[in-house]
């Protein structure tokens, strides 16, 4: 949609970039192969997502953390990360864009980075579908993470401005499997312009549509990034991030038909910019989701309860009457 395309572009043009030159690095745990393993996360500073240079997705503020590093600087960033590598089994190379886009990371440096960390059990990289074919050039234990967000073309176009439709995305996702790589699919919980019930159904539907090809489904409940169209709606009180009850429902329902790994990162959880409930029970629910990420045991949600659960159900019901 032209208006949304232009709106995102405007937000992007008005934003102040942070110009951070050092990669951001942290360590975390992750469930893989039936065990809890150590993971190192590396955010390389590149010129960022090619789509965000044109327009960008309504919820994505990663463009603010980009920096147009030259060849030598990028190489230094990779070396800097390697100096901090402690043989973690899983390495995640993120760029706020697409690892396989040669405008972000030249091919030789993609190779250089993967070779350095090539002994890891799994290296996770993110990419938009248009660059997937480059993944076939590498013989490393890669998991390719692709943002799908929604499998509904109307949502992709009118709500997220994702810049692709479901079918072409699926074609590229299948290539990941043809190359013998693992596939991780990101699904957004509660894009803008959606009621809470619609958002739950949309996320579960997206999971259902990829259940046969995804090795990991990773749910991202909306977090309101600064300088985005979603922030514009949120600050005018016409957008609320999802309830944590909705997030739990999406995970539980996905677990009923999906055998692969389900993950959910609740960024800004319990805050008004992120998925939240009544503020009293938020910590317990986020803790249960974190526990679920490591155990994959859906029973962790059984013990959760709070008086706001009724409020959430009422909210969903009221929304059905309030808006057309
Ligand atoms: S969400 Fe992904 S595809 Fe969309 S602008 Fe951000 S980095 Fe690019
Ligand atoms: Zn509560």
């Amino acid at each position: 949609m032209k208006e949304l395309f232009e709106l995102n572009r405007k937000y992007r043009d008005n934003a102040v970039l942070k110009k951070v030159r050092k990669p951001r690095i942290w360590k975390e745990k992750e469930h893989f192969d039936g065990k809890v393993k150590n993971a190192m996360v590396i955010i390389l500073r590149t010129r960022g997502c090619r789509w965000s240079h044109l327009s960008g997705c309504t919820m994505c503020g990663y463009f603010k953390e980009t920096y147009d590093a030259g060849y030598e600087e990028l190489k230094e960033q990779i070396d800097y990360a390697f100096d901090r590598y402690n043989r973690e089994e899983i390495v995640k190379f993120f760029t706020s864009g697409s690892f396989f886009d040669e405008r972000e990371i030249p091919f030789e440096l993609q190779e250089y980075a993967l070779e350095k960390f090539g002994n890891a059990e799994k290296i996770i990289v993110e990419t938009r579908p248009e660059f997937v074919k480059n993944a076939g050039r590498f013989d490393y234990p890669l998991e390719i993470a692709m943002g799908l967000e929604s499998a509904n073309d109307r949502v992709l176009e009118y709500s997220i401005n994702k810049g692709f439709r479901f079918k072409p995305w699926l074609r590229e996702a299948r290539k990941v499997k043809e190359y013998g790589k693992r596939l991780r699919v990101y699904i957004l919980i509660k894009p803008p312009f959606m009621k809470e019930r619609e958002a739950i159904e949309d996320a579960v539907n997206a999971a259902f549509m990829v259940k046969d090809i995804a090795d990991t489904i990773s749910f991202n409940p909306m977090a309101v990034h600064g300088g985005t169209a979603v922030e514009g709606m949120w600050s005018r009180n016409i957008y609320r991030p999802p309830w944590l009850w909705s997030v739990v429902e999406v995970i539980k329902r996905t677990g009923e038909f999906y055998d692969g790994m389900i993950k959910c990162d609740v960024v800004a959880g319990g805050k008004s910019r992120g998925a939240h409930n009544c503020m009293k029970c938020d910590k317990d629910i986020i803790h249960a989701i974190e526990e679920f990420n490591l155990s994959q045991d859906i029973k962790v949600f059984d013990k959760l309860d709070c008086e706001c659960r009724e409020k959430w159900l009422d909210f969903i019901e009221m929304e059905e009457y309030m808006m057309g």
Side-chain angles (χ1 to χ4, degrees):
M1 185 170 60
K2 201 163 165 280
E3 290 79 8
L4 211 50
F5 183 97
E6 293 301 334
L7 182 71
N8 285 315
R9 200 193 175 96
K10 214 172 83 195
Y11 273 106
R12 195 191 187 290
D13 290 347
N14 292 339
V16 183
L17 302 189
K18 288 187 189 157
K19 295 236 181 284
V20 197
R21 287 154 203 242
K22 264 194 193 160
R24 201 150 84 89
I25 292 170
W26 72 91
K27 313 270 175 113
E28 60 186 27
K29 301 275 180 199
E30 176 147 326
H31 183 105
F32 178 50
D33 248 359
K35 293 194 191 92
V36 176
K37 309 226 169 170
N38 297 310
M40 178 181 190
V41 187
I42 305 157
I43 315 246
L44 291 178
R45 306 300 180 182
T46 70
R47 70 193 298 274
C49 172
R50 209 186 289 195
W51 175 238
S52 85
H53 280 275
L54 278 174
S55 170
C57 302
T58 45
M59 71 295 184
C60 180
Y62 290 132
F63 59 83
K64 292 207 301 193
E65 288 170 33
T66 56
Y67 163 65
D68 200 355
Y71 189 98
E72 283 309 318
E73 278 174 300
L74 262 174
K75 195 160 182 257
E76 276 167 28
Q77 288 188 36
I78 297 164
D79 291 338
Y80 175 89
F82 190 66
D83 284 345
R84 283 145 187 83
Y85 181 51
N86 214 358
R87 293 174 179 273
E88 284 78 14
E89 295 97 333
I90 301 170
V91 175
K92 306 183 184 186
F93 256 122
F94 299 153
T95 71
S96 308
S98 297
F99 184 88
F100 294 119
D101 179 359
E102 290 181 54
R103 274 204 221 160
E104 275 191 59
I105 308 182
F107 175 71
E108 301 85 70
L109 286 182
Q110 294 174 17
E111 174 79 57
Y112 181 74
L114 295 178
E115 213 236 303
K116 282 222 149 197
F117 294 86
N119 284 331
E121 287 177 27
K122 179 164 86 168
I123 305 175
I124 307 176
V125 293
E126 296 173 329
T127 189
R128 275 184 64 93
E130 45 274 45
F131 309 110
V132 158
K133 54 183 179 307
N134 293 349
R137 306 199 270 183
F138 297 108
D139 192 18
Y140 295 101
L142 288 175
E143 181 164 296
I144 315 289
M146 293 170 73
L148 168 63
E149 324 300 2
S150 166
N152 179 328
D153 285 341
R154 288 184 61 81
V155 177
L156 287 172
E157 182 174 354
Y158 296 108
S159 179
I160 303 177
N161 190 44
K162 195 71 197 175
F164 56 69
R165 289 174 174 240
F166 178 59
K167 269 200 184 145
W169 179 93
L170 190 60
R171 208 172 41 231
E172 298 308 309
R174 288 207 172 106
K175 280 189 197 154
V176 170
K177 305 304 296 175
E178 283 161 26
Y179 298 146
K181 314 290 186 221
R182 297 171 57 88
L183 174 69
R184 173 175 295 219
V185 180
Y186 295 132
I187 294 172
L188 181 64
I189 303 183
K190 204 168 174 191
F193 312 119
M194 281 181 120
K195 295 174 191 168
E196 195 82 9
R197 171 55 63 197
E198 285 173 334
I200 294 170
E201 298 306 324
D202 191 65
V204 174
N205 175 57
F208 189 80
M209 299 297 274
V210 299
K211 70 179 187 343
D212 297 328
I213 54 164
D215 296 281
T216 305
I217 290 179
S218 179
F219 288 111
N220 292 323
M222 177 72 85
V224 179
H225 291 187
T228 61
V230 165
E231 188 188 48
M233 294 174 227
W234 171 81
S235 61
R236 288 175 185 79
N237 272 329
I238 49 175
Y239 176 80
R240 183 209 192 275
W243 287 70
L244 285 162
W245 291 123
S246 304
V247 176
V248 170
E249 181 168 332
V250 168
I251 296 173
K252 279 165 85 173
R253 280 179 52 191
T254 301
E256 286 167 16
F257 58 77
Y258 179 61
D259 295 333
M261 192 170 100
I262 303 174
K263 256 191 70 82
C264 179
D265 282 324
V266 191
V267 177
K271 305 202 172 88
S272 59
R273 277 184 182 266
H276 62 274
N277 280 351
C278 68
M279 304 291 173
K280 271 187 267 162
C281 62
D282 294 28
K283 264 200 189 136
D284 289 345
I285 300 196
I286 291 165
H287 182 71
I289 294 172
E290 284 165 358
E291 225 182 301
F292 171 78
N293 284 337
L294 295 181
S295 68
Q296 295 292 293
D297 182 1
I298 220 95
K299 286 197 208 83
V300 299
F301 299 122
D302 289 353
K303 55 181 190 265
L304 297 174
D305 201 12
C306 178
E307 54 200 24
C308 74
R309 206 181 136 78
E310 283 300 316
K311 272 197 196 141
W312 166 67
L313 290 168
D314 289 347
F315 178 86
I316 286 178
E317 208 180 306
M318 256 168 50
E319 257 192 346
E320 297 301 316
Y321 295 112
M322 274 163 58
M323 291 182 273

